[in-house]
Amino acid sequence: MSAQPFRAQDKLALLLALVPYLLDQRRVSVADAAAHFAVTPELIRDAVSLIAVSGVPGETKQYQHGDLFDIDWDAYLERDTIVVTHQVAIDDTPRFSAREAAALIAGLQYLAALPEHDNREAIATLMAKLTRGASAAPSQLAVAETATAGEASAEEIATLRAAISGETQVEFDYLNARGERESRVVDPLLIESIDQDWYLRGWCHLRHAVRTFRLDRISALRGTDRPIATHGDEVAVPSRLFDVSADDLRVQLELPADALPLISDYVTPGARTVRHGDKVRLTIRVTHFHGLKRLVSGLPGLVEVLAPAEARALVAEWAAAGAAQYAADDAGAGA
Amino acid sequence: MVAVSVEERLFSLVLALLASEQGLGKAEILSTVQGYRQRYVLGGDNASLDRQFERDKDDIRELGIPLETIDAPDRPGDSQSARYRIPRALYELPADVTFSAAENALLGLAAAVWRDGSLSEDSRRAITKLRSLGIETDDAVIGYAPRLRVREAAFGPLKLALDRRQRVSFLYLKPGQKKPLLRTVDPHALVVHESRWHLSGFDKRARAPRTFLLSRIVGPVKPLPGETFDAPAAGAAERSLAELQRVWQGNVAVLGIVAGSDAGLRLLKRSGVSPTDSGRYELHFTDLDILADELAGFGPEVLVHAPAELRAAVRSRLLQVSGTHQDGGNA
């Protein structure tokens, strides 16, 4: 269910979509309709109550009884069931707008480029249908096939998807950011790609917590027959990519305000930023400084670590080691 | 008098215009349609109601509903004598556009690629319409969530300008330059190449098509009031991708990569990476400065051999980062 606000235009879209659905279903419970449209029962009731009193001005311009929709009020009020008994003006699904079709087509292009989607023909057919089902030519939006994660992970993705739907555990070796390999047993919950990288989210039996694993750091992945442990409701996959726990390290950063989106994955929602001259300062939490040195070195001239000194030193050391290679290489070439 | 909600007024307007074959005149709409008629003053000043109707028309058209204006033959362009209607054949999804349960599941997945911003909103409305068809969805996609992010603030206003064919201006920091320049552009397409958003459009000053990286647009994107342009020839997005692909193909970096390192894991899975005889790797790229930023992040795990410009760029970035963090901190 979406947490985004539902505006008047969204409500209109729901009304126009709901009418043909109700006519098609003939008789449907509020709960089923809500589940089908993935909205709250309250939104469905609001929509039905409005549909039931709506219609066209009609011959008399007075919205007479026959000019209005009507529903079986007994069924609705007593059994929470919707039955449309009289319809006016609409009976079919509306077309997609140019923007709606474009958003879905670009999404499909991204899917088509994923390693495990070998059915490009089906996707091409679907894109053609969306174009035909739009009320104007879809706007110019496109995703290149090279936008996606490498092809080596196709087999791993298949193994993980099978384990998630079969609710079985997986085992693998994981290369952590410190460069160490550890054997992990994980109850897989979600496999997620973000831009170019794939991530597995799952309950880690080594850490006793939900953890995020980068797929390209996983090796020797094996599915098992063991069912996943039951974790109850406390196991929710966090919407943030990186896990934060109470024992995490705090790091104070300084950067230009418009560079904030570049580090959004690391920023806890609601984190406070403080203006400092023409830049902002904020504190992020990391599990260790090894990921941080890569992050900061990859945003040269933008992000500075202010504290702690240990983190600053690690970043300086990392970048200096990188730069030193060039001096050594130049010297070697000259010799 | 009970106030009529916005959605009731919009819904009633759509119903009235769909039901009328010849269309309705504005006075008729304002005086009879639910939500307007309550506020209509017979023989009085209905200017604010008139403006409301103009905004409502825009909102309805934004949903992809073909609300047409038919000018009176003797008075073209006069909105008071024009008639308005929604032709049923253009409103309804064509009967032969149907979707299987598997296709429906795929479309759900495609919609979920966008998690935030205007693309997510557009996708969500498309899915609402799709659900109208009452298709059951396969559950095969649970626990599987491919997504692409839109992190650049410029995307929203550029997408809007693209949809409305509105000329825009923005400050653009061209890779390799220190000061941003003001660019005036007709936006033709937004494309993702190598996981980055690009705008392709017609640069008014250069009088030529240009491609811009969204992450290098600094400051706000300003629509230029009253300046619109004709739609580019179909296929602008495909042409833009082909051009980016050509640039990508032409740029090759030669890298030394530490075996088994994080850099190795990340870079070697890219498309088009190939090993050389001397144990190095060749990697294609589109933008030298962006690749230099990324390679600097790998510190001692990557050594750039060629081109010389990239080598110098990475080296100076690493020196800058180590210099900035050299002392014990100033916080």
Side-chain angles (χ1 to χ4, degrees):
Chain A
M1 217 161 286
S2 176
Q4 293 171 46
F6 220 70
R7 298 183 303 171
Q9 270 180 313
D10 294 304
K11 289 183 183 170
L12 177 61
L14 180 62
L15 288 163
L16 297 174
L18 191 58
V19 171
Y21 171 77
L22 295 176
L23 293 172
D24 207 39
Q25 297 290 311
R26 291 168 194 277
R27 172 179 292 272
V28 65
S29 71
V30 168
D32 286 351
H36 183 77
F37 281 91
V39 297
T40 60
E42 285 66 38
L43 272 173
I44 295 291
R45 286 197 195 94
D46 287 350
V48 170
S49 305
L50 177 52
I51 291 167
V53 298
S54 292
V56 297
E59 297 266 311
T60 62
K61 317 287 182 205
Q62 292 298 319
Y63 285 95
Q64 298 284 341
H65 185 70
D67 302 325
L68 303 176
F69 280 96
D70 202 4
I71 61 169
D72 179 340
W73 285 97
D74 289 343
Y76 184 56
L77 297 175
E78 284 161 27
R79 295 185 294 282
D80 219 18
T81 296
I82 316 158
V83 184
V84 176
T85 54
H86 186 69
Q87 75 179 98
V88 288
I90 45 176
D91 39 27
D92 273 329
T93 297
R95 287 175 186 250
F96 301 109
S97 71
R99 287 164 43 185
E100 290 162 0
L104 288 187
I105 287 172
L108 283 172
Q109 287 175 332
Y110 177 63
L111 295 181
L114 296 181
E116 70 281 15
H117 279 276
D118 42 10
N119 204 347
R120 307 231 166 134
E121 213 166 293
I123 288 183
T125 308
L126 208 40
M127 293 199 288
K129 280 189 192 178
L130 287 172
T131 304
R132 231 157 16 96
S135 55
S139 32
Q140 291 297 323
L141 206 61
V143 177
E145 289 197 3
T146 49
T148 54
E151 288 170 24
S153 49
E155 221 171 285
E156 290 178 332
I157 291 168
T159 303
L160 289 169
R161 288 184 72 174
I164 291 169
S165 59
E167 303 192 337
T168 50
Q169 290 182 340
V170 292
E171 300 172 348
F172 52 82
D173 294 336
Y174 194 64
L175 179 72
N176 67 24
R178 290 183 189 82
E180 305 152 356
R181 275 192 196 282
E182 291 173 329
S183 178
R184 307 275 186 131
V185 176
V186 170
D187 296 348
L189 300 171
L190 175 69
I191 173 154
E192 181 174 43
S193 85
I194 297 176
D195 306 337
Q196 292 199 94
D197 296 307
W198 281 99
Y199 299 87
L200 165 69
R201 318 254 231 142
W203 177 268
C204 175
H205 286 263
L206 186 69
R207 298 273 180 265
H208 295 286
V210 174
R211 282 283 180 252
T212 301
F213 304 95
R214 233 174 65 196
L215 229 61
D216 55 14
R217 287 179 167 170
I218 288 177
S219 56
L221 175 69
R222 307 170 291 280
T224 74
D225 297 333
R226 294 191 305 276
I228 60 169
T230 46
H231 302 293
D233 290 341
E234 82 274 17
V235 178
V237 178
S239 59
R240 278 179 77 245
L241 191 56
F242 298 103
D243 319 297
V244 173
S245 60
D247 54 355
D248 281 340
L249 305 164
R250 284 161 188 275
V251 180
Q252 195 192 20
L253 304 179
E254 184 177 275
L255 68 163
D258 54 10
L260 275 171
L262 299 175
I263 59 161
S264 59
D265 285 334
Y266 302 85
V267 181
T268 326
R272 225 161 49 89
T273 57
V274 182
R275 281 224 152 266
H276 193 266
D278 56 352
K279 296 189 171 181
V280 293
R281 292 181 168 188
L282 81 163
T283 299
I284 64 168
R285 296 203 283 184
V286 295
T287 41
H288 47 73
F289 298 138
H290 295 273
L292 182 77
K293 70 188 181 192
R294 295 171 183 276
L295 173 75
V296 174
S297 303
L299 298 166
L302 283 177
V303 180
E304 182 180 351
V305 177
L306 299 178
E310 187 195 346
R312 277 180 68 83
L314 209 61
V315 172
E317 195 185 303
W318 179 251
Q325 301 181 94
Y326 291 94
D329 192 52
D330 284 348
Chain B
M1 184 167 59
V2 181
V4 176
S5 67
V6 181
E7 60 269 25
E8 180 170 3
R9 186 179 69 238
L10 296 175
F11 186 48
S12 301
L13 181 57
V14 172
L15 294 178
L17 296 181
L18 265 174
S20 167
E21 296 263 329
Q22 313 82 33
L24 301 174
K26 191 187 279 182
E28 198 175 359
I29 291 167
L30 301 188
S31 62
T32 65
V33 173
Q34 178 72 355
Y36 299 99
R37 59 178 181 147
Q38 285 84 348
R39 289 161 55 196
Y40 186 75
V41 184
L42 190 63
D45 177 16
N46 292 293
S48 86
L49 202 56
D50 200 315
R51 286 194 298 273
Q52 179 74 70
F53 173 67
E54 294 301 321
R55 286 195 297 273
D56 289 349
K57 271 196 312 185
D58 291 342
D59 281 355
I60 285 171
R61 284 178 178 146
E62 268 194 23
L63 284 181
I65 297 166
L67 197 165
E68 290 182 353
T69 307
I70 313 156
D71 283 338
D74 52 333
R75 305 172 78 172
D78 174 14
S79 80
Q80 296 304 325
S81 62
R83 299 182 79 76
Y84 301 90
R85 65 166 187 176
I86 299 172
R88 188 169 295 270
L90 295 179
Y91 170 86
E92 290 171 352
L93 198 64
D96 61 333
V97 175
T98 57
F99 300 96
S100 67
E103 286 179 324
N104 201 34
L106 204 51
L107 288 172
L109 211 52
V113 164
W114 316 111
R115 292 292 170 85
D116 36 35
S118 64
L119 288 178
S120 154
E121 223 168 89
D122 292 339
S123 300
R124 186 178 56 177
R125 288 199 190 127
I127 293 299
T128 298
K129 290 179 181 174
L130 195 65
R131 286 183 175 133
S132 169
L133 297 167
I135 312 156
E136 295 303 319
T137 307
D138 292 353
D139 279 348
V141 295
I142 284 172
Y144 175 68
R147 62 173 161 138
L148 262 178
R149 287 186 294 195
V150 183
R151 290 194 286 194
E152 295 87 352
F155 184 87
L158 285 176
K159 177 70 176 30
L160 203 62
L162 182 73
D163 292 331
R164 295 182 178 169
R165 288 189 212 129
Q166 170 92 57
R167 188 165 297 157
V168 293
S169 71
F170 49 79
L171 282 172
Y172 188 69
L173 187 61
K174 197 176 165 189
Q177 295 191 345
K178 288 214 160 66
K179 282 210 143 186
L181 279 176
L182 188 70
R183 314 293 279 257
T184 303
V185 177
D186 292 345
H188 289 175
L190 283 162
V191 300
V192 181
H193 187 260
E194 291 281 290
S195 279
R196 292 190 174 85
W197 281 100
H198 299 75
L199 166 72
S200 89
F202 192 84
D203 186 316
K204 298 308 283 183
R205 188 185 308 232
R207 294 192 188 150
R210 289 281 184 271
T211 300
F212 305 90
L213 258 170
L214 261 61
S215 59
R216 291 189 168 269
I217 293 175
V218 292
V221 173
K222 292 184 185 140
L224 303 177
E227 296 193 40
T228 54
F229 58 91
D230 293 335
E238 285 70 22
R239 283 196 301 278
S240 170
L241 280 181
E243 170 62 15
L244 285 164
Q245 187 64 22
R246 195 186 60 74
V247 172
W248 179 85
Q249 196 67 46
N251 288 328
V252 182
V254 181
L255 311 176
I257 301 174
V258 175
S261 68
D262 193 55
L265 292 177
R266 293 221 145 183
L267 296 173
L268 299 186
K269 70 178 181 184
R270 301 254 167 106
S271 62
V273 175
S274 55
T276 69
D277 294 340
S278 52
R280 295 171 180 175
Y281 293 93
E282 290 187 348
L283 179 86
H284 291 276
F285 64 95
T286 316
D287 184 307
L288 186 139
D289 287 85
I290 283 184
L291 180 65
D293 281 357
E294 190 183 6
L295 295 181
F298 293 121
E301 294 174 354
V302 171
L303 178 63
V304 181
H305 293 287
E309 197 188 350
L310 179 67
R311 184 177 161 102
V314 173
R315 187 179 190 175
S316 75
R317 278 162 168 77
L318 288 165
L319 288 171
Q320 181 183 18
V321 172
S322 74
T324 308
H325 293 86
Q326 210 48 257
D327 60 272
N330 52 12

